[in-house]
Amino acid sequence: MSTMKLKRGNKEITLKKVDDQFAVRLKQGAATTEQELNAVLRQPNVHSCHISAVEPARMDVFSLSDSKELEHTMDSLRHAEESEVISHVYSLDDDKATPVVPTGKLTVQFKPGVDNHNQEKILADYGLEFVQALDYLPRTYSVSLTQASTMNPLKIAAALETRDEVETAEADLAFEVALKHQPIDSLYAQQWHLSNSGGPGLRSGADVKAEPAWEFTRGSRDISICVMDDGFDLNHPDLSGTGKIVSPKDFGDNDTSPRPVKRDDNHGTACAGIAVAEENGSGVVGLAPLCALMPVRTSGWLSDDSVEALFQHAIDHHADVISCSWAAASWNFPLSIRMKGIIHKAATEGRRNKKGCVILFAAGNENRPLDGIKDGRVSHQGFALHPDVLAVAASNSLDQKSDYSNFGPKLSVCAPSSGSPGKRIVTTDRLGQKGYQAGDFTFSFGGTSSSTPLAAGLAGLMLSFNEDLTAAEVKDIMQKTADKIDDRPGEYDGNGHSSKYGFGRINAERALALLAAKDEQSLPRTLFMEHRVSKPIPDQGSIDEEITFPVAANITGFEVSVNITHTYRGDLTLILKSPSGTEIVLHQDTGGNAQDLIKSYRMSDEPELLGALSGSAAQGQWRLTVRDELARDVGVLNKWGIAVTY
C-alpha cells in the first residue's frame, strides 16, 4: 500500500511513498555518496544520488535514477551486513516538497492498568525494544525496531493503535526543517533580485530576502495588486490561474480586455510578472505569487479625467496595492488638485476595509532630482512626490545606487533592479515573437519600472499576512525595515534617510518578521532565519557571515544550524557571536578525519553550550566565524541559520 493514514497528535495525516527515494542508516559510519552506497550493496552499477543527511536519525536519503529499481535496491540493503535501518521516504499530504523519513523509532503510550509484563509482551509481538521511559508522559516509552521486526514503523504504529491496551502509538518521523521557501520555477535561479548568494556581477544579499519572507506568506488571492500600465499578455502561464485576474480594465479601448494593442505594449506584462507571477514550476515567480492581479491598461495620456478614472476604478474594485511604473513625460509636472485629491482618496479610503490602497510610483530613470534643477531644467515629479505615495528608487545587483535612478529627500525606499555595472532583471514577456525579445520571458528588464512592482509585491505580502494594516502603516513598516545599503558616513541623515536610497533597500524578511511580532505579542514564537552563502573556506583562513535578527525580544530557546562541505572537518573551528557580544565555540578540532559538518546545535539539547544566551536580547547581528586551522584540506560553507524562540 503506497498511502497510509496515521494519527499524529490529535490530527490525521496522510503519508504517501515517494517512488524513487529511500533512506538508510548504517550500523557504523554513513553512506553519503553513490560510491559508498554501492560498496554496501556490493553492486557497482546502481545509479543513485545522495539528497540529504537526516542528522538526528543518522540516516541518509538517496534517489534512484530508475524508480523501478527501488524495491530491489531496498531489499538488497536490508540483507547487507552493514545496514541497520532501511526505510521508504514519504510525502506528507501528497506534498512532494515535504519529505518525511521514519527513523525506526516509535512512541507508545499504554492505557492505565496495563502492567509491565503485558507491556513487554505487546512490544515483543512487534519486535520492538525499549529505548527509554518518557518521564514527562505517563506510561509512555520510546521504542525502536529490531531485527525481529517484521513490519515498517508506520504499519506497526497503525497496528498498535488498534490494540485495546494501547492509548497512542506514533512512528517517529523526521521532517526537513523549513527555514525558507524556494520555488522550483525553471528561471528562479536567475531571479537574483529575490535571493542570491553572490557570483559574477552579484553581491551576496543584494536582494529582497524573499525566501525567508515566504515562510510567513506567499500572498493571498484575497489581496489584489493593481498594475496600471500599457498592456498585459493575460495568456501568459505565469499570469494565469484560478482567481488570478480580477477586475481587468482597458482605458485605451474602453473595455475589459487590457491586452497589448500596440507593437510596443510590452511594459505591463514585465511589471506584472515581477510583482505576482505564479509559482507554477516553470518560468519566473513574483514576490507575491499567490496575490491576485488587477491589470489596468492606461490610455497613454494623463489628464484630470484619465487619472481620476484610473484610481476610481481601483477604489471601486477594492484594489489593495497600486503599482505605477510611469510618470509624466514632462520633467516639470506638478499635480493638479484633482489628481492630488483622487490619489489621496485611494490612499486613505480605498480597499474593501477602507484602510487605504498602498500606492507606489517609480522614481524615474534620468538620474535627476525628484524636485530640483539639473542642467538648468526644472525637475518636479508630482506623482512620486505625493505624500501618500511610496516613491521607489533602484539599487543594482552590487547593492549600489543604479546609475540612472532619480534621487531626492522624498524617496521612500529602493528595490533591486538593473544598473551599470550589474545584472538585469528576468521577468515575464509577451508570448512568442512579440515583446522585448523572442520567447516568453525577457532577460533584460530594469529601471525603476522594475523596482516599483517588486516593492508592490512586498506590500501585497504584508497585507496578505495582516489585512488590517492601513496604507500608512505598510509604508512606515516598509521604510523602518529597509536595509541601509552603502552606509558610508553622511550617506544617511539623522532620521536614517538617504537621498539616493530613501530609507534603504526593501527587506521582505524583516518586514514580515516585524508584522509577526506585532501580531503575536502574547504568544511564544520561533523565528527561523537562514542564509545560503556557498562561500569557500580558505585553507588556514577564516570567513565571517552575519544574520540580522529583526525582532526586539529576549531569547527563551535557541538553535543554530550549519551545513559545511569539507574534506577534513577536524580542521574546523566555528564561533558564534551574539548581538550582545557573547562568543560561543560550537566546534573546535573535533571529528577527526570525517568529512563535512552538517549539524544543529540546540539550547534544549546542549544547555552547557548555549545556555548563556537564555534571557539575552535577540535583536541585532549574529555572526558565525568559520576557521580552517590546518593545511591541505578545504571546504565550503553552504548555508547556516538560527532559530530564536522568544
Side-chain angles (χ1 to χ4, degrees):
M1 184 170 60
S2 63
T3 302
M4 292 191 68
K5 293 185 181 296
L6 294 174
K7 286 188 176 179
R8 184 174 176 86
N10 60 353
K11 295 184 178 297
E12 186 179 78
I13 61 173
T14 301
L15 297 177
K16 184 176 182 179
K17 288 180 183 177
V18 178
D19 60 9
D20 62 352
Q21 295 180 19
F22 65 90
V24 56
R25 179 166 71 227
L26 302 183
K27 293 174 182 175
Q28 292 184 336
T32 60
T33 66
E34 181 184 44
Q35 293 75 19
E36 291 173 344
L37 181 69
N38 286 337
V40 174
L41 284 166
R42 312 289 196 269
Q43 297 176 30
N45 296 318
V46 174
H47 298 294
S48 64
C49 176
H50 183 265
I51 296 177
S52 61
V54 185
E55 192 71 23
R58 288 198 309 108
M59 299 181 79
D60 289 275
V61 179
F62 286 84
S63 68
L64 295 174
S65 58
D66 185 355
S67 60
K68 295 177 182 177
E69 292 295 321
L70 180 66
E71 297 302 332
H72 172 71
T73 301
M74 293 181 66
D75 284 340
S76 298
L77 282 168
R78 291 187 181 103
H79 289 95
E81 289 184 3
E82 297 92 331
S83 301
E84 183 174 7
V85 175
I86 310 299
S87 173
H88 284 94
V89 175
Y90 297 81
S91 62
L92 176 62
D93 296 332
D94 210 26
D95 179 3
K96 292 183 179 180
T98 311
V100 177
V101 180
T103 68
K105 290 185 178 180
L106 296 90
T107 300
V108 180
Q109 184 176 45
F110 291 97
K111 290 182 178 178
V114 181
D115 60 29
N116 291 341
H117 175 74
N118 282 328
Q119 292 177 6
E120 293 170 359
K121 183 179 183 305
I122 291 168
L123 296 180
D125 289 344
Y126 297 92
L128 302 173
E129 65 179 5
F130 284 99
V131 175
Q132 69 178 110
L134 304 180
D135 56 9
Y136 48 88
L137 292 170
R139 308 173 307 282
T140 306
Y141 306 89
S142 173
V143 300
S144 68
L145 274 66
T146 68
Q147 293 293 326
S149 303
T150 58
M151 294 188 291
N152 70 44
L154 302 185
K155 291 182 179 179
I156 292 176
L160 284 170
E161 281 278 346
T162 66
R163 300 280 301 241
D164 292 337
E165 303 93 337
V166 175
E167 187 79 43
T168 301
E170 291 182 348
D172 182 24
L173 304 174
F175 295 78
E176 185 176 7
V177 175
L179 299 187
K180 61 166 194 57
H181 175 80
Q182 189 176 68
I184 61 172
D185 297 64
S186 55
L187 295 177
Y188 174 68
Q190 299 184 50
Q191 293 185 273
W192 63 266
H193 59 282
L194 296 176
S195 178
N196 89 83
S197 55
L202 290 170
R203 180 178 177 182
S204 178
D207 55 77
V208 299
K209 312 297 180 291
E211 291 180 6
W214 287 330
E215 289 305 309
F216 295 97
T217 179
R218 283 177 280 152
S220 166
R221 284 292 199 263
D222 292 334
I223 300 300
S224 62
I225 297 179
C226 175
V227 179
M228 297 177 175
D229 220 287
D230 67 358
F232 305 85
D233 190 338
L234 300 184
N235 292 325
H236 200 295
D238 277 345
L239 301 180
S240 305
T242 303
K244 187 68 173 181
I245 303 301
V246 296
S247 305
K249 181 69 177 180
D250 185 338
F251 284 97
D253 290 344
N254 196 28
D255 58 29
T256 58
S257 179
R259 300 175 188 275
V261 175
K262 301 176 183 178
R263 184 177 182 83
D264 60 352
D265 279 359
N266 308 320
H267 199 258
T269 302
C271 290
I274 289 168
V276 297
E278 285 283 271
E279 183 184 348
N280 55 16
S282 66
V284 296
V285 63
L287 181 53
L290 296 184
C291 283
L293 170 64
M294 184 184 294
V296 174
R297 182 172 178 264
T298 69
S299 65
W301 291 87
L302 297 172
S303 67
D304 286 356
D305 284 345
S306 68
V307 171
E308 180 182 281
L310 289 173
F311 284 88
Q312 192 62 53
H313 177 85
I315 294 169
D316 291 344
H317 294 88
H318 311 300
D320 298 283
V321 180
I322 302 173
S323 179
C324 302
S325 291
W326 45 266
S330 171
W331 270 39
N332 184 15
F333 190 82
L335 298 184
S336 69
I337 60 171
R338 280 182 67 187
M339 291 178 180
K340 285 182 180 178
I342 191 63
I343 291 174
H344 178 70
K345 179 182 178 182
T348 55
E349 301 176 24
R351 292 175 39 214
R352 198 174 300 276
N353 58 11
K354 306 298 183 184
K355 296 199 173 185
C357 303
V358 182
I359 305 172
L360 306 95
F361 268 90
N365 306 327
E366 298 82 27
N367 192 28
R368 62 180 165 108
L370 292 175
D371 190 14
I373 297 176
K374 181 181 180 181
D375 299 332
R377 297 180 66 182
V378 175
S379 173
H380 184 92
Q381 297 179 263
F383 290 111
L385 291 168
H386 193 292
D388 293 322
V389 160
L390 277 144
V392 185
S395 57
N396 65 19
S397 60
L398 300 175
D399 242 0
Q400 304 163 344
K401 175 184 177 293
S402 296
D403 52 317
Y404 52 76
S405 186
N406 291 348
F407 52 88
K410 297 298 184 182
L411 278 183
S412 298
V413 291
C414 65
S417 186
S418 61
S420 181
K423 288 184 172 291
R424 290 181 171 268
I425 301 298
V426 181
T427 183
T428 44
D429 197 9
R430 291 172 66 179
L431 297 174
Q433 298 300 310
K434 297 180 179 179
Y436 289 109
Q437 57 195 79
D440 303 340
F441 301 91
T442 175
F443 297 81
S444 59
F445 199 59
T448 54
S449 288
S450 180
S451 57
T452 301
L454 186 57
L458 174 53
L461 291 182
M462 294 169 68
L463 293 177
S464 298
F465 190 84
N466 184 348
E467 63 181 4
D468 290 329
L469 293 170
T470 65
E473 287 173 325
V474 171
K475 180 178 180 180
D476 181 59
I477 292 170
M478 201 181 295
Q479 293 177 164
K480 282 181 177 176
T481 57
D483 287 331
K484 298 290 190 285
I485 60 174
D486 188 15
D487 57 352
R488 292 173 293 178
E491 193 61 62
Y492 293 85
D493 63 22
N495 295 319
H497 186 274
S498 164
S499 63
K500 296 179 183 177
Y501 308 108
F503 287 93
R505 178 192 14 83
I506 60 171
N507 185 318
E509 175 186 16
R510 292 183 65 196
L512 271 296
L514 181 60
L515 289 183
K518 288 177 176 292
D519 194 45
E520 302 177 13
Q521 287 291 337
S522 62
L523 298 175
R525 52 208 174 272
T526 299
L527 176 59
F528 299 94
M529 303 183 70
E530 182 185 68
H531 280 188
R532 288 179 174 258
V533 292
S534 299
K535 194 169 186 178
I537 305 164
D539 195 18
Q540 291 187 290
S542 67
I543 57 173
D544 291 322
E545 282 295 324
E546 291 185 341
I547 289 177
T548 302
F549 192 81
V551 181
N554 293 329
I555 297 170
T556 60
F558 185 82
E559 176 181 339
V560 55
S561 60
V562 295
N563 185 310
I564 296 173
T565 302
H566 202 279
T567 53
Y568 195 96
R569 71 182 183 194
D571 285 5
L572 297 175
T573 295
L574 274 64
I575 301 173
L576 179 71
K577 186 176 182 180
S578 74
S580 62
T582 301
E583 290 192 352
I584 297 168
V585 179
L586 300 173
H587 177 94
Q588 187 171 37
D589 303 336
T590 59
N593 61 1
Q595 297 182 352
D596 304 340
L597 180 58
I598 303 171
K599 186 173 181 179
S600 294
Y601 303 85
R602 300 180 182 87
M603 182 185 290
S604 57
D605 296 339
E606 302 181 75
E608 70 286 351
L609 179 66
L610 297 169
L613 298 175
S614 181
S616 65
Q619 188 176 38
Q621 298 286 340
W622 290 84
R623 177 182 297 171
L624 178 69
T625 298
V626 182
R627 290 204 301 259
D628 186 307
E629 308 282 9
L630 300 173
R632 292 177 54 190
D633 292 275
V634 294
V636 175
L637 173 61
N638 300 309
K639 61 182 178 178
W640 77 290
I642 59 173
V644 179
T645 301
Y646 53 97

